[in-house]
């Protein structure tokens, strides 16, 4: 099979890496890809938001399966356009992807499906939102309704913070039309977990979970980032919790979307807070997480092509079970110094080839590209540059492998957190 992966980040390199190891994949393409995907197949110079360009390229290269990594092309209807051209696409339709592209739509689905979550209100006017926080006596989270490149969520410890966030969205329009509507939720405390499954619109595969680290600084301080690391399975993840998340959170949402006439097919991402009062939903996303994918793809034992095609064709129950390895994986993200603020790119990355034959250590490229001089050198090209993954029989071993490999890689101004997967286990606290 000829497979095209859409996107250019670490998640897409991890997807491409796992797909390339499938016996059924004969040729792999990425659009636009990065230096990591270039090592696995052919990068096509097409932006992931260029829907017409991707459909034309998929037809031109006789692609048998398109795997869409990021949310934006899905929200633009890439899966619908590919389906209209009779090209199998792994990823939900535009209508189903509203689960991520509209927070207010998602909340209405979650309410209808009776999924436990925080108290929330939706506002279309600044005055309504401001007066709500004036009379609300708990810290809140202000969310831009639409997509905002992962930056649309403001954690507001005080009323003043909440008002600043509301005005930035609704008056200053820092997220454009995505912030015309805001959702204001009570701030939940506890342990955050990302849970993923394959679904064909009715059936849901075995679940896999991971924890990501969003803050730039060790000890979870400083600004939010696209993710500084991840590990899985999380400390508290077990069969009982997986059963609860499947039955009370994910299957009800799948059923509700099917009833609304927009069945969800693809990777379903349930973001949860494990509170003392039980799990509560934070968000649903319409794709695999980044950098969670970098720790779940190495743990996927089943054939990804079989699972993805079964989602597309609506026969996941006929396919074999999707199996995940018990072995933990840890990903340490190496970023450009200054990220998530200003940073320089174009620095040579050294040590990438040096895996010392260790199959339990993998480097996924993200903001990294082949140098334009044709030398084959890899240079930094973004904020999050690499995700360095270690696998082991225990988290401590996986972590040791990841950090050992990190120490063999260098580029100017490289920064990484030293506490990934080392955070003390925290008891969930009250919601
Ligand atoms: N790791 C968070 C996300 O992918 O949205």
């Amino acid at each position: 099979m000829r497979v095209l992966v859409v996107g250019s980040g670490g998640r897409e390199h991890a997807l491409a890496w796992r797909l390339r190891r499938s016996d059924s994949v004969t040729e792999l393409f990425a659009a636009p890809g990065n230096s990591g995907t270039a090592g696995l197949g052919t990068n096509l110079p097409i932006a992931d938001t260029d829907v017409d360009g991707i459909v034309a390229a998929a037809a031109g290269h006789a692609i048998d399966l398109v795997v869409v990594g990021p949310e934006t092309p899905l929200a633009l209807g890439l899966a619908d356009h590919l389906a209209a051209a009779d090209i199998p696409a792994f990823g939900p339709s535009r209508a189903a992807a509203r689960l991520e592209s509209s927070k207010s739509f998602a909340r209405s689905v979650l309410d209808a499906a009776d999924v436990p979550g925080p108290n929330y209100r939706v506002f279309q006017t600044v005055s309504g939102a401001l007066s709500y926080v004036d009379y609300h006596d708990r810290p809140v989270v202000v969310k831009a309704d639409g997509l905002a490149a992962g930056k649309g969520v403001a954690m507001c410890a005080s009323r003043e913070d909440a008002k600043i966030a509301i005005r930035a969205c609704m008056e200053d329009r820092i997220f454009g039309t995505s912030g015309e509507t805001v959702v204001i939720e009570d701030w939940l405390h506890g342990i955050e977990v990302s849970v993923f499954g394959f679904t064909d619109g009715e059936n849901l595969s075995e679940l896999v979970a991971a924890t990501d680290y969003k803050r730039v600084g060790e000890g979870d301080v400083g600004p939010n980032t696209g993710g500084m690391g991840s590990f899985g399975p999380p400390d508290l993840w077990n069969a009982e919790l997986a059963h609860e998340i499947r039955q009370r959170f994910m299957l009800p949402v799948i059923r509700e979307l099917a009833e609304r006439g927009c069945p969800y097919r693809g990777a379903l991402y349930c973001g949860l807070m494990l509170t003392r009062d039980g799990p509560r939903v934070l968000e649903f996303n319409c794709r695999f997480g980044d950098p969670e994918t970098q720790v779940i793809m190495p743990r996927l034992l089943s054939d990804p092509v079989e699972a993805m095609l079964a989602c597309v064709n609506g026969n996941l129950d006929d396919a074999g079970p999707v199996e995940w390895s018990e072995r933990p994986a840890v990903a340490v993200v190496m970023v450009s110094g200054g990220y998530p603020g200003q940073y320089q790119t174009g620095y040579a990355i050294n040590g990438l080839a040096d895996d010392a034959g260790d199959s339990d250590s993998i480097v996924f490229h993200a903001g990294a590209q082949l140098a334009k001089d044709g030398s084959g050198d890899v240079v930094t090209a973004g904020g999050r540059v690499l995700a360095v993954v270690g696998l082991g029989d225990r988290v401590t071993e996986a972590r040791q492998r990841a950090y050992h490999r990190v120490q063999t890689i260098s580029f100017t101004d490289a920064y990484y957190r030293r506490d990934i997967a080392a955070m003390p286990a925290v008891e969930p606290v009250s919601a």
Side-chain angles (χ1 to χ4, degrees):
M1 290 194 53
R2 297 160 68 82
V3 176
L4 167 64
V5 175
V6 174
S8 61
R11 165 182 49 209
E12 286 73 34
H13 185 192
L15 286 166
W17 173 87
R18 186 60 190 86
L19 286 159
R20 199 69 192 87
R21 297 162 83 90
S22 163
D23 287 342
S24 46
V25 174
T26 52
E27 211 159 340
L28 190 102
F29 297 82
N34 59 29
S35 43
T37 59
L40 298 169
T42 307
N43 281 352
L44 304 173
I46 306 166
D48 61 12
T49 50
D50 179 356
V51 171
D52 292 342
I54 289 170
V55 175
H61 289 281
I63 297 296
D64 300 300
L65 174 67
V66 178
V67 178
V68 187
E71 62 277 16
T72 304
L74 294 165
L76 292 172
L78 178 57
D80 311 68
H81 284 81
L82 288 162
D86 269 338
I87 301 166
F90 178 72
S93 67
R94 179 185 186 140
R98 281 180 299 163
L99 204 52
E100 177 164 3
S101 66
S102 169
K103 304 276 177 269
S104 54
F105 172 79
R107 283 290 164 204
S108 84
V109 170
L110 296 171
D111 280 354
D114 209 14
V115 171
N119 292 322
Y120 77 93
R121 292 278 301 274
V122 178
F123 294 96
Q124 265 128 7
T125 64
V126 188
S127 56
L130 292 177
S131 65
Y132 177 71
V133 298
D134 260 336
Y135 290 99
H136 197 69
D137 59 2
R138 304 187 65 170
V140 294
V141 181
V142 175
K143 295 184 173 177
D145 186 56
L147 295 182
K151 301 193 175 90
V153 175
M155 316 294 289
C156 305
S158 67
R159 284 202 174 97
E160 211 35 57
D161 287 352
K163 289 181 178 180
I164 290 168
I166 290 164
R167 289 203 170 96
C169 274
M170 303 183 90
E171 283 181 351
D172 305 339
R173 297 291 175 95
I174 61 168
F175 305 122
T177 54
S178 285
E180 276 174 357
T181 297
V182 296
V183 178
I184 304 182
E185 300 174 359
D186 283 356
W187 180 338
L188 298 181
H189 295 278
I191 297 173
E192 215 176 311
V193 176
S194 309
V195 183
F196 306 92
F198 292 86
T199 176
D200 62 1
E202 187 185 344
N203 305 289
L204 178 63
S205 74
E206 291 67 20
L207 303 179
V208 65
T211 295
D212 70 340
Y213 291 78
K214 294 192 169 76
R215 305 281 186 133
V216 73
E218 286 160 16
D220 267 334
V221 297
N224 262 332
T225 69
M228 296 297 296
S230 58
F231 76 97
D235 296 340
L236 297 177
W237 188 247
N238 57 36
E240 193 187 340
L241 183 57
H243 181 75
E244 180 177 6
I245 303 312
R246 156 187 292 278
Q247 298 300 333
R248 287 186 68 205
F249 290 75
M250 297 178 80
L251 282 172
V253 165
I254 291 167
R255 281 189 210 114
E256 175 62 25
L257 286 170
E259 272 170 30
R260 289 182 184 214
C262 47
Y264 187 102
R265 299 191 183 99
L268 187 61
Y269 171 158
C270 177
L272 292 161
M273 188 67 84
L274 305 181
T275 75
R276 254 194 206 150
D277 301 327
R280 299 286 183 268
V281 67
L282 293 175
E283 62 184 3
F284 268 83
N285 292 321
C286 64
R287 53 178 171 84
F288 286 119
D290 191 342
E292 293 95 324
T293 308
Q294 291 88 317
V295 291
I296 63 175
M297 280 302 125
R299 300 182 53 225
L300 176 58
L301 299 174
S302 312
D303 181 5
V305 174
E306 192 185 334
M308 289 174 180
L309 280 177
C311 293
V312 177
N313 297 327
N315 59 1
L316 194 58
D317 52 344
D318 295 336
V322 171
E323 290 181 319
W324 303 99
S325 163
E326 305 262 311
R327 294 185 85 216
V330 173
V332 177
V333 174
M334 298 182 76
V335 304
S336 299
Y339 173 82
Q342 298 284 323
Y343 55 84
Q344 302 285 323
T345 59
Y347 295 126
I349 306 174
N350 305 306
L352 287 173
D354 186 18
D355 67 3
D358 183 357
S359 60
D360 280 340
S361 138
I362 314 158
V363 180
F364 292 123
H365 299 202
Q369 290 291 351
L370 291 175
K372 290 203 166 67
D373 60 10
S375 59
D377 291 347
V378 177
V379 297
T380 65
R384 290 191 299 158
V385 177
L386 306 168
V388 182
V389 177
L391 288 134
D393 293 334
R394 302 173 63 86
V395 174
T396 45
E397 194 187 10
R399 179 170 191 274
Q400 214 169 22
R401 281 215 169 87
Y403 277 106
H404 186 264
R405 186 78 186 269
V406 162
Q407 273 145 28
T408 67
I409 298 171
S410 62
F411 54 89
T412 302
D413 292 342
Y415 168 76
Y416 57 90
R417 276 179 64 164
R418 290 166 299 176
D419 62 349
I420 302 303
M423 304 285 280
V426 189
E427 282 295 303
V429 294
S430 178

